[in-house]
Amino acid sequence: REFQAMVGADSLMVARGALRDPSIFARMRGLPAPDTKEEVVERFLDRCVKVGNSYQNTKWVLAQLVGDDSTFRDQPVRDAQETLQQAKSMTALCEWGGYRGFDQ
């Protein structure tokens, strides 16, 4: 919400290439890349919560991020995608992604 107030934006948009490999931003700044896709998802959810991103946009990006990898959070990606599609709130998305910092 602080970000929204500062720049007057409703949400953020990222190019598709960055959705498949978001560690490019870390590498550009000389930071270590995240270890796992699960860690990337948790960081993304943290940022979405902090800026007040809509759950609909967050859900779409998560679906793109998880993509067609073979597994996500120790389950077949198809099952993870199906569960993700049932999420109807930021709380549900945070639970799905294993992010524990959301307190509505």
Side-chain angles (χ1 to χ4, degrees), residues 8-72:
D10 291 330
S11 62
L12 301 171
M13 185 172 137
V14 179
R16 288 183 184 175
L19 292 174
R20 293 287 181 200
D21 184 14
S23 65
I24 62 170
F25 298 113
R27 289 192 306 264
M28 287 171 41
R29 294 182 291 170
L31 301 172
D35 293 328
T36 65
K37 185 156 287 196
E38 288 81 1
E39 185 178 323
V40 171
V41 165
E42 288 181 35
R43 288 181 184 179
F44 175 70
L45 284 166
D46 179 61
R47 285 172 177 80
C48 288
V49 167
K50 286 180 179 172
V51 301
N53 198 36
S54 71
Y55 92 86
Q56 296 93 335
N57 177 263
T58 302
K59 181 177 175 177
W60 184 87
V61 172
L62 288 171
Q64 301 304 306
L65 225 153
V66 171
D68 55 7
D69 287 352
S70 59
T71 62
F72 179 75

